[in-house]
């Protein structure tokens, strides 16, 4: 592995294609690795299958996204702590240094009650991993806004050892991404690269197609002493063909590499 910041392809970026397609496309396009979104696709849950794909395509798994989505609430177990532990075991087995975690949903009262303490305990159990809590966003429906996370969508308000900075989520929450990176400080362990306009839903656009400071954030990472990875997490479900999806993922990789290679000083 070179000293450059690894650029990963999130398996969510190939949806509705399945997990195996992420390895195929990552290898074809020259990504440094894959972030596996653990979801209902059984391959995404299986260390042996993932190790086989990584070996076959020559693309390592360098991040595991724990099953924190609404559609993954029963993957592995209905117990969120068990899902988090299983994500840690998967990452440890695959030698992936990062596990991406969402804050608890409001209805997960027991999980939320001692989330910070429990997460620290899980992280201690897997001492070689960083459990990086991701910034989320309020949800807007029918002209109203509500926050479906406890204690909120901004993890820096609580304080954790490690964070994932998601730029599309910054757009959806109308948050300054550079300031969010500043607030995460030395805890910034991982970046989800995707753009947004701040209009409507979480968009996960190809970087450069929204109004977020994607380039500025990437150029600032060297000055922040960043030692993690950047995962391209964009929506390609509307792509009319595999060729269009591939073109979007190639453009995203080129954007990331270009701006990671041109660092700028940061007063963080």
């Amino acid at each position: 592995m070179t000293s450059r910041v690894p650029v990963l392809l999130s398996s969510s970026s190939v949806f509705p294609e399945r997990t195996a397609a992420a390895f195929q496309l990552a290898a074809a396009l020259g990504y440094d690795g894959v972030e596996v979104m653990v979801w209902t696709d059984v391959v995404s849950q299986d260390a042996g299958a993932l190790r086989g794909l990584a070996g076959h395509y020559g693309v390592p798994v360098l991040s595991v996204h724990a099953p924190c989505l609404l559609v993954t609430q029963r993957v592995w177990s209905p117990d969120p702590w068990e899902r988090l532990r299983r994500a840690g075991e998967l990452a440890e087995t695959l030698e992936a240094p990062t596990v991406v975690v969402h804050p608890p949903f409001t209805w997960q009262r027991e999980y939320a009650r001692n989330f910070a303490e429990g997460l620290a305990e899980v992280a201690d159990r897997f001492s070689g991993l960083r459990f990086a809590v991701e910034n989320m966003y309020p949800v807007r429906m029918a002209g109203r806004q509500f926050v479906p996370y406890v204690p909120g969508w901004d993890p820096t308000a609580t304080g954790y050892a490690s964070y994932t900075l998601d730029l599309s989520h910054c757009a959806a929450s109308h948050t300054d991404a550079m300031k969010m990176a500043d607030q995460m400080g030395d805890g910034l362990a991982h970046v989800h690269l995707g753009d947004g306009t701040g209009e409507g839903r979480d968009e996960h656009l190809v970087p450069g197609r929204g109004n977020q400071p994607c380039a500025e954030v990437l150029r600032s990472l060297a000055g922040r002493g960043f030692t993690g990875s950047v995962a391209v997490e964009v929506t390609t479900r509307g792509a009319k063909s595999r060729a269009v999806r591939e073109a979007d993922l190639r453009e995203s990789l080129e954007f990331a590499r270009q701006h990671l290679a041109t660092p700028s000083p940061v007063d963080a």
Side-chain angles (χ1 to χ4, degrees):
M1 179 67 67
T2 64
S3 60
R4 70 183 181 190
V5 173
V7 182
L8 319 183
L9 177 61
S10 168
S11 60
S12 67
S13 296
V14 307
F15 184 84
E17 295 193 65
R18 300 178 81 78
T19 305
F23 287 86
Q24 180 188 10
L25 283 166
L29 297 173
Y31 278 81
D32 298 304
V34 167
E35 173 170 313
V36 171
M37 171 73 78
V38 179
W39 65 300
T40 54
D41 178 3
V42 293
V43 170
S44 73
Q45 307 167 25
D46 188 315
L50 293 169
R51 191 188 291 112
L53 286 167
H56 177 73
Y57 288 106
V59 181
V61 177
L62 295 179
S63 177
V64 169
H65 195 308
C68 303
L69 306 178
L70 283 173
V71 297
T72 60
Q73 292 301 290
R74 293 194 174 275
V75 167
W76 285 331
S77 168
D79 177 7
W81 287 118
E82 178 62 17
R83 293 199 299 273
L84 201 54
R85 286 189 288 269
R86 292 283 294 272
E89 290 169 359
L90 182 63
E92 190 173 63
T93 300
L94 297 171
E95 299 182 354
T98 306
V99 177
V100 177
V101 185
H102 289 184
F105 287 115
T106 53
W107 58 85
Q108 295 175 311
R109 292 183 179 86
E110 289 300 318
Y111 182 51
R113 183 168 289 123
N114 65 340
F115 178 69
E117 297 82 358
L119 181 63
E121 290 175 7
V122 172
D124 285 344
R125 175 177 170 181
F126 299 97
S127 57
L129 304 180
R130 297 188 77 175
F131 287 77
V133 185
E134 186 172 0
N135 61 296
M136 302 305 292
Y137 53 92
V139 174
R140 298 174 180 85
M141 294 179 64
R144 296 188 177 183
Q145 177 174 296
F146 67 97
V147 177
Y149 304 101
V150 176
W153 58 266
D154 178 0
T156 67
T158 298
Y160 299 98
S162 299
Y163 300 100
T164 295
L165 174 65
D166 188 301
L167 287 107
S168 178
H169 294 177
C170 286
S173 62
H174 297 166
T175 299
D176 184 316
M178 289 289 280
K179 289 183 179 177
M180 178 64 76
D182 292 345
Q183 288 168 219
M184 291 177 171
D186 293 341
L188 178 58
H190 192 59
V191 174
H192 278 167
L193 180 61
D195 215 332
T197 65
E199 300 295 330
R201 300 185 177 188
D202 180 28
E203 295 167 290
H204 288 281
L205 303 176
V206 169
R209 297 185 187 176
N211 58 20
Q212 293 304 291
C214 297
E216 291 85 347
V217 168
L218 294 176
R219 291 197 296 262
S220 78
L221 292 178
R224 296 178 188 278
F226 182 74
T227 59
S229 53
V230 171
V232 168
E233 194 180 67
V234 297
T235 296
T236 65
R237 70 184 68 187
K240 298 190 185 323
S241 67
R242 164 61 86 90
V244 173
R245 172 171 293 117
E246 191 170 319
D248 282 350
L249 298 179
R250 180 182 292 107
E251 181 180 333
S252 299
L253 174 61
E254 290 172 352
F255 183 100
R257 290 256 172 84
Q258 175 189 345
H259 295 291
L260 286 168
T262 53
S264 63
V266 162
D267 182 16

